[in-house]
Amino acid sequence: MGRAFSASTSAINPADRIDFWNAGSSRIGGVRAQSTSEVFDAEVTFRRLDQLSVYRLASTPHRVSANPLPSGSGKQLRLRYQQSGESMVFEGQRSIQLRPGEWMLANPHVPHAAVNKGDVSHLWLQLPCNSLTDTEIAAAHAGSPRISMSDKLG
């Protein structure tokens, strides 16, 4: 199992936290955050398991934007599970409201943004899908972008 890496803004001067966060974020995810609260506070844990990447984020209210993954990064899919709080995610031409217990399939190859209106925590699972065709990946994104864990299976 891969080693976990964690980062937190708790020991950083409040005036420097967002810059600290964005500098570190560029190394593991390439997102750019903008605080929407008086004091920004966040913690992330990142772990790579072979070709799979797992992220856990907990933070105060903020907005985030990200460019698509670089073209040489291979085909990827991301699953996002909302643990607490609410987020509005904008991906390409769609917007998805996420509440606790819901998850979504995200396409990291298109620009995306999110607004986290209150304190939030969520899990990201990024997985390679090189064995899938472009048609299969498109079909996965054509379905419902949000699924509730309370939805019945089968």
Side-chain angles (χ1 to χ4, degrees):
M1 189 178 308
R3 181 173 170 241
F5 297 92
S6 294
S8 173
T9 60
S10 63
I12 305 299
N13 179 330
D16 299 327
R17 288 180 180 181
I18 202 73
D19 290 335
F20 169 82
W21 188 256
N22 285 332
S25 175
S26 67
R27 291 183 180 166
I28 64 170
V31 298
R32 184 120 183 103
Q34 176 185 16
S35 180
T36 58
S37 61
E38 192 171 311
V39 176
F40 178 72
D41 197 23
E43 182 176 337
V44 65
T45 301
F46 165 75
R47 179 175 289 200
R48 188 173 304 278
L49 307 168
D50 193 28
Q51 295 182 22
L52 182 72
S53 298
V54 181
Y55 304 82
R56 182 186 183 281
L57 172 76
S59 72
T60 55
H62 69 287
R63 298 171 195 242
V64 65
S65 60
N67 291 323
L69 287 177
S71 59
S73 63
K75 294 183 248 180
Q76 305 271 327
L77 290 176
R78 285 185 182 156
L79 294 173
R80 176 180 173 154
Y81 176 70
Q82 192 80 14
Q83 293 180 296
S84 66
E86 293 188 14
S87 299
M88 178 63 78
V89 180
F90 304 92
E91 180 184 90
Q93 299 299 313
R94 67 182 186 167
S95 59
I96 303 105
Q97 177 76 39
L98 287 177
R99 294 176 185 86
E102 295 178 335
W103 61 276
M104 68 171 281
L105 178 63
N107 183 350
H109 299 285
V110 298
H112 62 278
V115 176
N116 301 293
K117 298 175 185 175
D119 291 356
V120 295
S121 64
H122 53 260
L123 297 172
W124 280 101
L125 180 65
Q126 183 170 304
L127 55 153
C129 51
N130 294 328
S131 61
L132 298 177
T133 67
D134 289 340
T135 303
E136 291 167 329
I137 292 171
H141 287 293
S144 175
R146 181 185 64 207
I147 299 170
S148 173
M149 292 303 282
S150 61
D151 289 347
K152 294 183 180 178
L153 298 175

